[in-house]
Amino acid sequence: MFGCGNNGAMTTAIYPAAIESNFDGLVGPTHNYAGLAHGNVASAKNADQPSNPREAALQGLRKMRALAELGMAQGVLPPQERPHIPTLKALGFSGKDADILAKVAREAPGLLAAVSSASSMWTANAATVSPSADCGDGKVHFTPANLASHLHRSLEPATTARALAATFPAGQHFVHHAPLPATPAMGDEGAANHTRLCAGYGDAGLELFVYGAGSEAEPKPQKYPARQTRAACEAIARLHGLDGERVHHQQQRPEVIDQGVFHNDVIAVGNRELLFFHEEAFVDSRALRDWTRARLPEAEFVEVATKDVSVADAVSSYLFNSQLLCLPGTKGHTLIVAQECQENGKVWACIQRLVADETCPIEAAQVFDLRQSMHNGGGPACLRLRVVLTDAERTAVNPGSWITPERADALESWVRRHYRDRLVLADLADPALLDECRTALDRLTQLLGLGSIYDFQR
Ligand code: SUG
């Protein structure tokens, strides 16, 4: 029996009912392909291609609007200020903004690309979030990811923390921790390596943390970096006040990191009682299953075999980077997949098989064109941060951050007005682009009611 309303109606918990909300990252005006992410196959493959920031942002907004129309609680998180002049100043560049841009473009073009990346769009890497039912103090806890593995991503946490605090105001319901120390020993990439399983969203859940780098004795990838450390996962579990009995740490297979699985959400996704994953995702999937079943008897596992979908096909299609949702009014789970899944014969056949199988809790799939993000290795699940909320918590969220039909319209007009439809790396030094971004973001903070979260506004 896979009953699966969106409000945890099946449970008889002492906890208040809760829903899963999704906060997608709005793609920023400097969206570009700079090949910055080592170990991310799509980022390397599309390096130096022209991008279309306007189309990227509109593709993301179409997904947000569609999920809101399907009855999901859909929110939005703002992009960041890019190019980030304060970082360039901190690294010794001085003078007027236009002079700084000209100088960095001449002397350190890689640095210009790093401070111009729109990578904050992938909000699955913004933070790790634990719902109030899992935390000792009964509040929702957020720890922004330090994203220490890559320079361009390590620039995100300070503004991410401000955006999260503006969206989920600290106080009665929300607790915000500082990012962990930004050093390789504490590498943390947020919710992309964290899965919560539960009977109903409002019940105490099981929190699964997946790491790439553990103890010296554990196997390591040979080619690409392991971005998430076990030490970071343990620190977050402590900070959030999680019950140790309900936390499982599992190592990602180093061999798949070397094939381009730079986050666990490229090879596994969970929702409510269901874990959907590839045969090669974990070092010990048997232990993971046994541990989960012992604590959550209703747990379901849908494991895809390598003979059906290879790791290479999983990486190129992002099958497991689908969103797995319980849509209101439906019984099972719905997969929100990237168009690349439909274009891969083996992957599409696998999806069709799962949907047709009456014993499989996945009952439908919906396809979205997210190609602009996909070309940088960001699929449907990368673009969203999940936050489980009770009614009281939901009303404490900044009202302007929710996607309503009117706000989706306003954001689309804002994108059409402020975004370019073509960007190449040489454009990043254009001082007009910096001005365009600041004008756009200033307007956006008013539109979303976020206050002054950007450095240029302070
Ligand atoms: O960190 N790509 C991102 C993609 C992040 C996807 N997120 C999740 N799987 N949750 C990254 O690798 C590419 C930027 C560039 O090359 O221009 C980039 O940063």
Side-chain angles (χ1 to χ4, degrees):
M1 162 72 177
F2 304 115
C4 191
N6 193 33
N7 53 13
M10 274 172 64
T11 61
T12 53
I14 44 163
Y15 303 94
I19 50 130
E20 175 188 282
S21 64
N22 286 271
F23 283 77
D24 280 40
L26 188 54
V27 179
T30 59
H31 161 65
N32 70 87
Y33 301 119
L36 298 175
H38 183 48
N40 170 339
V41 177
S43 158
K45 185 171 160 210
N46 295 299
D48 299 334
Q49 294 294 314
S51 64
N52 184 339
R54 184 187 299 165
E55 186 53 24
L58 292 176
Q59 286 174 353
L61 278 166
R62 276 180 214 122
K63 176 166 87 75
M64 293 185 228
R65 188 196 285 275
L67 294 199
E69 282 172 358
L70 288 166
M72 295 296 294
Q74 179 67 54
V76 63
L77 289 169
Q80 301 206 355
E81 172 189 348
R82 297 288 183 270
H84 195 240
I85 298 291
T87 295
L88 294 176
K89 287 188 173 162
L91 295 174
F93 291 93
S94 58
K96 293 208 175 81
D97 291 348
D99 300 334
I100 290 177
L101 288 172
K103 199 155 192 234
V104 70
R106 231 178 16 253
E107 294 178 5
L111 191 52
L112 177 59
V115 301
S116 304
S117 176
S119 53
S120 66
M121 71 170 89
W122 299 298
T123 52
N125 304 121
T128 304
V129 187
S130 296
S132 50
D134 298 358
C135 299
D137 62 0
K139 297 185 182 188
V140 184
H141 283 242
F142 297 82
T143 300
N146 60 29
L147 296 166
S149 72
H150 287 75
L151 174 61
H152 69 295
R153 304 228 56 185
S154 73
L155 308 178
E156 296 171 34
T159 306
T160 297
R162 295 204 286 261
L164 289 172
T167 310
F168 306 96
Q172 198 186 343
H173 296 295
F174 304 121
V175 179
H176 296 274
H177 300 279
L180 303 180
T183 177
M186 282 290 160
D188 172 28
E189 305 258 330
N193 299 303
H194 172 250
T195 305
R196 177 178 190 256
L197 296 176
C198 55
Y201 291 116
D203 296 340
L206 302 179
E207 299 208 12
L208 314 179
F209 289 85
V210 181
Y211 60 93
S215 71
E216 273 309 308
E218 286 173 299
K220 295 174 183 48
Q222 302 299 310
K223 193 171 163 198
Y224 294 140
R227 298 195 195 185
Q228 183 77 32
T229 63
R230 178 171 175 138
C233 299
E234 290 172 349
I236 291 167
R238 274 191 300 271
L239 283 166
H240 291 196
L242 303 181
D243 174 357
E245 280 302 304
R246 305 184 69 79
V247 170
H248 180 79
H249 295 282
Q250 177 61 227
Q251 191 184 8
Q252 194 179 1
R253 276 218 203 170
E255 295 85 353
V256 300
I257 295 178
D258 282 340
Q259 292 171 75
V261 183
F262 55 95
H263 290 137
N264 177 60
D265 70 2
V266 176
I267 198 147
V269 57
N271 177 44
R272 250 178 71 145
E273 75 291 345
L274 174 62
L275 187 65
F276 176 49
F277 63 105
H278 190 275
E279 180 185 355
E280 296 184 55
F282 307 111
V283 163
D284 193 348
S285 51
R286 170 55 48 200
L288 172 55
R289 277 174 184 259
D290 291 347
W291 181 88
T292 304
R293 265 268 157 71
R295 289 158 185 80
L296 184 67
E298 46 281 83
E300 293 287 340
F301 303 96
V302 175
E303 181 171 339
V304 175
T306 306
K307 68 173 173 43
D308 294 327
V309 174
S310 66
V311 173
D313 282 332
V315 169
S316 64
S317 68
Y318 265 36
L319 168 61
F320 298 95
N321 200 262
S322 302
Q323 282 177 260
L324 197 51
L325 300 176
C326 290
L327 297 176
T330 64
K331 268 174 69 192
H333 297 246
T334 296
L335 270 183
I336 302 296
V337 307
Q339 199 166 302
E340 284 74 359
C341 288
Q342 202 170 28
E343 291 164 357
N344 180 312
K346 286 198 155 180
V347 170
W348 193 239
C350 169
I351 292 173
Q352 304 286 63
R353 249 193 331 271
L354 295 175
V355 169
D357 180 351
E358 301 224 320
T359 67
C360 174
I362 299 172
E363 67 175 18
Q366 296 204 20
V367 181
F368 283 82
D369 176 3
L370 296 165
R371 228 182 269 289
Q372 286 285 326
S373 170
M374 284 289 285
H375 280 185
N376 251 338
C382 300
L383 285 161
R384 60 91 174 100
L385 182 68
R386 292 190 281 191
V387 187
V388 166
L389 297 168
T390 63
D391 283 350
E393 291 157 359
R394 197 172 169 180
T395 48
V397 172
N398 169 47
S401 297
W402 292 113
I403 293 291
T404 58
E406 298 73 28
R407 195 156 290 112
D409 288 345
L411 288 171
E412 281 183 16
S413 312
W414 171 83
V415 167
R416 289 186 203 283
R417 173 163 186 180
H418 295 284
Y419 281 48
R420 298 187 183 188
D421 62 5
R422 187 174 195 277
L423 211 58
V424 293
L425 295 183
D427 297 326
L428 301 177
D430 179 0
L433 180 67
L434 177 66
D435 284 347
E436 287 162 28
C437 291
R438 287 180 175 166
T439 305
L441 295 187
D442 201 38
R443 175 78 196 105
L444 181 71
T445 48
Q446 295 162 32
L447 223 149
L448 302 181
L450 289 173
S452 301
I453 58 168
Y454 297 116
D455 292 316
F456 75 87
Q457 295 175 313
R458 296 174 148 227

